[in-house]
Amino acid sequence: MLVRSGECERCGKCCETVNLTVVRDVALQQHGNLEELKLYLSYRGIQVAGEDVENNFLFYSISIPCRQLNEDKSCRVHETPDKPLLCLRYPKEKADVADIEECSYSFKPAGLAYLPQGVPDPSAR
Ligand code: SF4
Ligand code: SF4
């Protein structure tokens, strides 16, 4: 089990796109193959951000910034009842931020989440 550590440093990256998960084999069947699917989606500003072949998922990323994102990358509805549940829980798992280099959160195996300073992190790459 992976445990989240760190805190949000308000880079705003996760608020600039809409991310959707679709059923991989259905999408590939519709378009013939992955390259055809990517081409079709690219004309609409949709990027295939990744895939999970084992669980039959494809991940789409669409560049549509949230209307509640301020210019300074803060959230207009932070600490109000209008903040969506997904945002309150984000990032829930490692895959949520796998393609966001700027994100200050990290995920580590449960026993490694609170390593004392100076101890090399065996999960570091
Ligand atoms: S509601 Fe706030 S936290 Fe959620 S995507 Fe919009 S700006 Fe980001
Ligand atoms: S990508 Fe990570 S650090 Fe950046 S705003 Fe989202 S949660 Fe915060």
Side-chain angles (χ1 to χ4, degrees):
M1 189 186 117
L2 298 179
V3 174
R4 188 180 81 180
S5 62
E7 56 187 79
C8 177
E9 289 185 5
R10 293 186 183 174
C11 72
K13 285 289 166 191
C14 62
C15 311
E16 293 173 352
T17 58
V18 176
N19 301 313
L20 299 174
T21 301
V22 302
V23 181
R24 184 178 181 276
D25 60 9
V26 172
L28 294 185
Q29 195 179 20
Q30 283 170 335
H31 292 270
N33 60 54
L34 189 57
E35 291 314 308
E36 272 296 318
L37 172 65
K38 283 181 176 176
L39 179 67
Y40 175 85
L41 294 175
S42 71
Y43 293 156
R44 289 150 179 85
I46 303 172
Q47 197 193 346
V48 177
E51 61 182 330
D52 177 347
V53 177
E54 194 181 330
N55 293 304
N56 198 24
F57 295 141
L58 271 181
F59 307 115
Y60 293 176
S61 176
I62 312 167
S63 286
I64 304 176
C66 178
R67 282 193 274 175
Q68 303 301 348
L69 184 63
N70 288 314
E71 269 189 35
D72 68 356
K73 307 296 183 190
S74 61
C75 171
R76 203 169 284 130
V77 292
H78 188 58
E79 292 186 341
T80 77
D82 293 332
K83 187 153 182 169
L85 197 55
L86 189 116
C87 302
L88 286 172
R89 293 176 175 167
Y90 187 91
K92 213 171 158 201
E93 53 191 73
K94 191 175 180 180
D96 289 341
V97 289
D99 60 341
I100 304 180
E101 279 178 29
E102 294 85 349
C103 189
S104 44
Y105 283 109
S106 60
F107 288 82
K108 296 177 179 172
L112 302 175
Y114 303 105
L115 278 175
Q117 275 194 336
V119 175
D121 179 352
S123 70
R125 278 186 259 168

